[in-house]
Amino acid sequence: MKISTTSCLCHILVFLCFIQRYYGASHHIPADKVTIAKNQTKLANGETEVHHRPKRGWIWNQFFVLEEHIGPDTQYVGKLHSNSDKGDGSVRYILSGEGAGSIFIINEVTGDIHATESLDRERKAHYVLHAQAFDRNTEKPLEPKSEFIIKVQDINDNAPTFPDGPFVAAVPEMSGVGTSVYQVTATDADDPTYGNSARVVYSILQGQPYFSVDPKTGVIRTALANMDREAREHYAVVIQAKDMAGSVGGLSGSTTINITLTDVNDNPPKFPQKNYQLYVPESAQVGKPVGKIKANDEDLGINAEIKYSIINSEGAAMFSINTDRDTREGIISLKKPLNYERKKTYTLQIEGVNTHVEPIFSYLGPFKDTATLKITVGDVDEPPVFSMDYYIMDVYENARIGREVGAVTARDPDSKNSHVRYFIDHSEHSDKYFNIDMDSGVIKTTQSLDREEMPWHNITVIASEVDNPSLLSHVPVTVQVLDVNDNPPEINKDNEVIVCESSRPGQVIQTMTAVDKDDFANGQRFSFSLPSGIPVNPNFTLKDNKDNTASIITRRRQFNRLVQELYELPIVVWDGGEPALSGTSTLTLRVCPCQRNGRVQTCQDERGLLSSAGLSTGALIAILLCIVILLAIVVLFITLRRSKKEPLIISEEDVRENVVTYDDEGGGEEDTEAFDIITLRNPAAAEEFKFRRDIRPEAARQHGQNRGHHSPPELNQVDVQEFIKQRLVEADMDTNGPPYDSLQTYAYEGQMSPTGSISSLDSPGTHSEQDYNYLDDWGPEFQKLAELYGEDTDVAESDVAVAVTVAT
């Protein structure tokens, strides 16, 4: 294919091709003079083969079309032409691809291409299309389908823009010239590779002479030195971007950069004036604010923080100053009470200093300032002032009414020195033990005082000025009541005095102490004695131990509780006070039975047992009636059981019935079913029938009934000891039976018994020299038996056994 803009050029090219082809075909060059060309190959026989280049039907260059075409006619793009086209209209051209038929149309006969729409390069920069030539008559393709591109050529139709604007920037105040502030970048939609349509330069439209902008990079810098934030803080800088390298006819766009100067500490604090005055009444409370002062600082934030201090000693001793972080004021407070009568004025030298100082700005002067504050103390009518913060007084108990206890004093602190009157605040205590003289402040008693009842009295005295009664002062007064020996001593009766029946003469029964309500500074001293003028006590005497204790001593051997249980012993106690007082106390001594080591076994008043329980007579009768009914039920039950018992002994000559009767530990002496002697006489039958009578008596009877009423088997001579051991093993292995001790192991008193028999059947007739002191450890039931055998050692051993059985 060949691209041509004019038909003349096409004809010339066709003509030249025709001449070249004709010339090559009509001229023959001899073989020996022929020079082998690049498209020829020399054969072996000397001939040359010519390689013909295939004919190319399409020859074209790239098409271009200008964007933004304006006009009523379509825009000519180019022409398609095939070598097979003879100009007779037999070739039909077809266009396909992007925009074919809509944006781009082709003349099927001539191959001319036109654009029907105005194109925008920024929307689409090029279009890819396909061209094909057909024979109009045969509809056969004359040329293969070929691809070509139509590029949209750029024009300067887009102005530079700042898509992210407007912008915000900041730079510290007092910055030097050329300090970088911000960089802006404009974008241009035109083609940067074609012409200068997208070549942008920057300029500043607004913001001079404070800032400048680099034309190529868009960097904004400071253009004026020492810009002061306190003078001007905000700046609106307008930057313009222009394409076509800034030449005439270029398009431009602009944006705004809001620049703020940030604060630096370049201003020292400064008091608005050098001298201040403040009035503070003398009644101002310590620790409370009394005034404030403030130094101004034009800086912001941390750069404006100020610390205040009082730099002179006179002011610092009485006042303190602290900084309020919110208001940056100096709050002045009182450290000590003011007294107009002592000092009427104070002078304070106050200094305010910046807490954060930047060294680069130190040349701007010291970042502190001072001011003088004169404080005038105002006179205030103050309440009376007592000479002491509190008073402690003392008075003896039992003192006469009207006895002077002490005095309080108060004065008017004001210069007029008004007269003071005194009162006692009776609202705190209902009992009025004291009163006070209104003018002198002397406190006196109004009642008789008792130290043992109330050793301390706390009262409050009020003082007021005559000229201004509303001004009151209070002071606490503590009155101590001093002790007087007015209470006789007494015997301490915390513990009951017990006398053992077996007491010996000279034996110490108990050591007594005394108590006294009075208070002795050097400790209490007591002496004891029996009352004089009465007959000598034949039973007891008293010994003064000289250590504030006394011992009660028996004077005779043994006491009998049954003869006389209670004894009374009067004792006289003397204290060591001035004057000495004495008191007589009567002790009650109770006779009780004791063990040999002196321990009391039981010493209770039988008559007091029931009364101590708090029971009435009707309740006691009801309890006794219940006991009688229970006893009747028990007797009836025992009687019924006796009527159902089977005889345990077949032969009257069998001595072992005594063993069953007395030594069985199951149901007592009346329970003869606890042991069956037949079992011992017939072990074989017992081995066959192993039911325990105490566990399953009904099963045992049933078994006996099934066997019939036969006469008992013949009694065989067996080893009873082995039989009982066997029964013990069976009982130990049986986990279902109740824990009844019913194997009658105590019935066997035969051979190898370490303790022997306690039965009187085999007791020897000779007397024993055995020691019966062990009976003391068996409890109070055996006490009498121990006493009998302790005194008479000729009692027979058999009698002891009988006594033990009876006691049991």
Side-chain angles (χ1 to χ4, degrees), residues 525-528 543-551:
R525 299 180 301 276
F526 298 107
S527 58
F528 304 84
K543 179 185 177 182
D544 191 348
N545 298 324
K546 305 301 183 182
D547 59 354
N548 293 333
T549 63
S551 300

Side-chain angles (χ1 to χ4, degrees), residues 595 601 758 770 772-783 785-786 800-801 803-805 807-808:
Q595 297 179 0
Q601 288 183 346
I758 64 172
Q770 183 177 357
Y772 297 98
N773 292 331
Y774 64 90
L775 295 177
D776 288 336
D777 300 330
W778 286 19
E781 293 83 358
F782 297 90
Q783 178 63 30
L785 190 61
V800 176
V804 172
T805 304
T808 304

Side-chain angles (χ1 to χ4, degrees), residues 359-393:
I360 59 175
F361 301 112
S362 59
Y363 66 91
L364 295 177
F367 286 83
K368 61 182 179 180
D369 194 15
T370 58
T372 301
L373 174 62
K374 184 178 181 181
I375 296 179
T376 301
V377 180
D379 187 18
V380 177
D381 193 3
E382 301 175 83
V385 178
F386 285 95
S387 60
M388 300 176 64
D389 295 334
Y390 61 91
Y391 294 86
I392 298 179
M393 304 175 184

Side-chain angles (χ1 to χ4, degrees), residues 6-70:
T6 62
S7 60
C8 294
L9 181 61
C10 293
H11 292 301
I12 293 173
L13 291 175
V14 172
F15 179 75
L16 290 176
C17 292
F18 177 77
I19 294 176
Q20 182 179 3
R21 180 180 296 182
Y22 176 79
Y23 182 79
S26 61
H27 292 80
H28 178 74
I29 301 174
D32 56 348
K33 295 183 180 180
V34 174
T35 303
I36 299 174
K38 292 182 180 181
N39 59 347
Q40 296 178 354
T41 302
K42 186 177 181 179
L43 302 177
N45 54 7
E47 295 182 357
T48 303
E49 181 181 2
V50 179
H51 300 282
H52 297 283
R53 189 173 186 180
K55 183 177 66 174
R56 187 176 180 185
W58 300 103
I59 300 175
W60 63 67
N61 292 325
Q62 197 173 44
F63 291 130
F64 292 93
V65 59
L66 291 176
E67 66 171 337
E68 305 293 345
H69 174 72
I70 301 175

